[in-house]
Amino acid sequence: MDDSRPIFVQIAERIENDIIAGELPEESQVPSKNQFASFYQINPATAAKGVTLLVDQGILYKKRGIGMFVATGARAKLLEKRKQQFFEQYVLTTVQEAEKLGITMEQLTDMIQRGVETR
């Protein structure tokens, strides 16, 4: 766990990451809030808050008496959300910084290509 963000947000992101990676396929059951609480040694209410966050976004849904499940279309929805976040956090910021430094779009494209080639 990372101390800089609320634990319930980290729980939600962990579930999101598992869905995106295919480790939690659509219609599969998600670990219970008590399992998360036990694994991370946190309060079950905190774990429940992370799960509820994803229910509110339509990523998870509850089957009464059975548990939480990954909704159909959840992976596509998460990929779109993450791509938008990537655009806002990295692409826009990079373009703005490049403009401040007088870096042309061609130079920026070349830098990105170099980065791809060196990884």
Side-chain angles (χ1 to χ4, degrees):
M1 289 282 148
D2 173 8
D3 291 332
S4 67
R5 293 172 300 127
I7 294 172
F8 76 93
V9 171
Q10 294 176 61
I11 295 289
E13 286 177 356
R14 170 69 189 268
I15 296 168
E16 286 180 352
N17 290 340
D18 288 347
I19 293 169
I20 289 170
E23 294 170 19
L24 282 174
E26 294 178 357
E27 300 305 321
S28 67
Q29 190 168 7
V30 175
S32 72
K33 66 180 179 192
N34 290 330
Q35 288 171 315
F36 280 118
S38 175
F39 183 77
Y40 291 109
Q41 298 185 345
I42 58 172
N43 187 312
T46 302
K49 194 171 177 182
V51 170
T52 300
L53 189 64
L54 296 176
V55 170
D56 292 345
Q57 295 174 15
I59 303 301
L60 302 178
Y61 68 95
K62 183 176 185 173
K63 285 186 182 179
R64 190 175 181 107
I66 300 176
M68 292 292 180
F69 289 79
V70 179
T72 299
R75 185 172 187 276
K77 189 182 285 189
L78 287 171
L79 285 172
E80 189 57 38
K81 172 185 157 187
R82 294 280 182 94
K83 286 176 185 178
Q84 185 61 37
Q85 287 175 336
F86 179 83
F87 176 76
E88 292 169 3
Q89 292 175 356
Y90 300 105
V91 175
L92 288 179
T93 303
T94 300
V95 169
Q96 290 168 352
E97 188 67 16
E99 287 174 350
K100 284 185 219 172
L101 298 173
I103 298 171
T104 67
M105 286 303 117
E106 182 179 327
Q107 290 170 322
L108 181 58
T109 303
D110 289 343
M111 289 177 179
I112 292 169
Q113 185 60 44
R114 268 196 340 244
V116 169
E117 292 168 357
T118 60
R119 59 178 177 114

